[in-house]
Amino acid sequence: MKSKSKLLALALALMMIFGLAACGGGDSSTPPASQPEPASQPEQSTPDSTPAADGPVMDDEQKLVIYTPASDGQISMITSLFKEKYGIEVEAITGGTGELLARIDAEGDAPYCDVVFGGGESNYTEYEHLFERYTSPEDVNLLPDFRNTKGYITNYYVDCAVLLVNTDLQGDTEVNGYEDLLQPDLKGKISTPDPTASSSAMFHVETILSDFGSGPMLENAEGWDVLSKLLENLDGKLASGSGAAWKAVADGEMVVAMTFEEAAIALARDGAPVSVVYPEEGAVFSPTTAGVIKNCNHPNNAKLFIDFILSQEVQNVFCNELDLRPVRDDVTYPDYFRPASDVKTVELDQEYVNENKDAIIEKYMDIYMDVYPG
């Protein structure tokens, strides 16, 4: 079985290489509404690269290098605002979270990157040795559940796995949660990327294993049974990446996409014929993270960037301009944002996922090979 899994991993890796090349790299391709017009940015004072006497400490070189899996719209707006406020030039190198962390690891004691901007805790935990311990002064202003408790992980917005349904193609088929995805009417009409290469797809796997059954994920027979039946209903079709998954639904090629909240809200707000479905079995709200790299070239600028993305000003930008749930509650929510209190949620055992990520992926691959042998 392991030899088959390795063959599948190789095949899926090749598929993702070509898929990423087609999508321009990274896991989170940008939905149309997530590329805000410059006019929508809040007004800022004219930047001064020289900090005031009581202002933040900056590095001599006014530069910051970030490695990021974030969407193009998010990168463009946040880095532009950072430069506008502090006069610091930002170089952004994009890619998948795992790919970028492996690159930093390979760079050894001379990392090119200063900050990783995006990804999740399970990715960071695997590469904890790369990160500088830093807790921002803004941390005390965050919601208690999202404060920095590990010392090297900064949570800066919250995401959840959702279903995106094409309302023109849906017909009489009800889609209210994961169990509905097992309906025969949806066979071959569900769009999702490969969870062994996509963090958003892996998030759906973790959510399903939290929604169905009980006990440790690897021993959750009911949850894995749902995943096995879901794999059968995919009819062997995997999207090349997260962007390709939601695009197939927005373009009317597929009925349902397993995607993430940011993309789904942006598409609905942009007028696409879609509805956003929070799984009735329960959604998991999980933070997206950032971190400062050890021995980086611009450590002060890196810490300033962390403080910046946690500030009330930028948290409002995340919420009102980029369709992202903030990690502090002193912000103004737009009317179209569904309050978290109106969404049924379940708890994800993040520590278990951190410790067993490889085993969970291996089990998923084994089930895939059982469903699609050869």
Side-chain angles (χ1 to χ4, degrees):
M1 183 64 69
K2 287 188 176 181
S3 63
K4 287 184 178 180
S5 298
K6 291 177 180 178
L7 288 173
L8 175 62
L10 178 59
L12 291 174
L14 290 171
M15 178 186 73
M16 289 305 301
I17 289 170
F18 290 114
L20 288 174
C23 294
D27 182 52
S28 301
S29 300
T30 310
S34 291
Q35 299 187 33
E37 296 296 327
S40 67
Q41 298 182 12
E43 291 185 5
Q44 300 286 335
S45 58
T46 303
D48 180 0
S49 60
T50 304
D54 59 349
V57 176
M58 302 184 199
D59 295 295
D60 292 338
E61 184 181 21
Q62 297 295 287
K63 181 178 179 180
L64 180 74
V65 178
I66 65 173
Y67 285 3
T68 176
S71 66
D72 294 340
Q74 186 182 150
I75 296 166
S76 175
M77 174 164 276
I78 299 305
T79 58
S80 294
L81 289 174
F82 184 67
K83 178 183 176 181
E84 189 176 2
K85 185 163 187 174
Y86 296 111
I88 296 174
E89 295 284 345
V90 181
E91 179 183 356
I93 295 174
T94 61
T97 309
E99 167 198 350
L100 294 170
L101 289 169
R103 176 172 173 173
I104 298 169
D105 203 18
E107 291 168 354
D109 294 332
Y112 186 67
C113 172
D114 301 309
V115 170
V116 178
F117 178 54
E121 182 179 319
S122 61
N123 297 104
Y124 282 47
T125 301
E126 184 179 354
Y127 289 92
E128 180 179 351
H129 60 283
L130 301 179
F131 291 96
E132 185 72 32
R133 300 187 73 81
Y134 177 67
T135 300
S136 170
E138 293 282 358
D139 192 68
V140 296
N141 298 317
L142 306 191
L143 293 163
D145 287 347
F146 303 118
R147 290 175 185 164
N148 183 347
T149 59
K150 293 186 176 294
Y152 65 96
I153 293 174
T154 295
N155 303 313
Y156 69 95
Y157 79 84
V158 182
D159 204 355
C160 72
V162 301
L163 305 177
L164 185 71
V165 182
N166 185 299
T167 52
D168 289 343
L169 300 179
Q170 181 179 5
D172 295 330
T173 304
E174 289 283 338
V175 180
N176 297 308
Y178 289 116
E179 200 160 15
D180 291 331
L181 299 186
L182 309 183
Q183 298 177 82
D185 288 351
L186 291 176
K187 189 177 181 76
K189 300 176 182 179
I190 303 167
S191 184
T192 183
D194 165 29
T196 69
S198 165
S199 59
S200 63
M202 187 62 189
F203 195 10
H204 277 281
V205 171
E206 294 165 1
T207 302
I208 289 171
L209 291 173
S210 301
D211 279 339
F212 297 91
S214 60
M217 286 186 178
L218 288 169
E219 301 169 19
N220 182 354
E222 183 180 346
W224 287 107
D225 182 60
V226 171
L227 283 167
S228 178
K229 291 175 180 175
L230 177 59
L231 277 170
E232 291 178 10
N233 230 27
L234 295 180
D235 203 25
K237 299 175 183 177
L238 286 175
S240 60
S242 296
W246 56 251
K247 189 175 186 299
V249 170
D251 290 349
E253 298 169 8
M254 303 287 264
V255 177
V256 184
M258 298 172 66
T259 187
F260 52 101
E261 188 178 40
E262 173 194 1
I265 290 178
L267 286 165
R269 190 157 67 94
D270 198 48
V274 297
S275 62
V276 182
V277 175
Y278 295 84
E280 65 181 359
E281 296 90 356
V284 173
F285 284 107
S286 180
T288 294
T289 53
V292 177
I293 298 302
K294 283 182 181 177
N295 303 315
C296 65
N297 294 316
H298 311 100
N300 292 323
N301 294 346
K303 293 171 183 177
L304 185 60
F305 183 79
I306 297 296
D307 299 346
F308 177 73
I309 62 177
L310 295 184
S311 68
Q312 184 186 39
E313 170 195 9
V314 177
Q315 288 285 298
N316 261 309
V317 170
F318 281 132
C319 187
N320 289 276
E321 303 290 342
L322 294 169
D323 305 312
L324 301 170
R325 289 186 183 272
V327 289
R328 50 192 297 167
D329 61 2
D330 55 350
V331 300
T332 303
Y333 281 85
D335 292 339
Y336 57 81
F337 234 109
R338 183 169 173 179
S341 58
D342 289 348
V343 178
K344 180 182 177 181
T345 60
V346 293
E347 291 295 322
L348 173 68
D349 190 342
Q350 188 64 62
E351 291 295 333
Y352 184 89
V353 171
N354 295 347
E355 295 170 4
N356 296 277
K357 181 180 176 182
D358 290 343
I360 293 170
I361 290 174
E362 179 75 14
K363 185 158 186 173
Y364 178 90
M365 291 165 62
D366 286 344
I367 290 175
Y368 187 98
M369 293 298 293
D370 287 341
V371 174
Y372 301 105

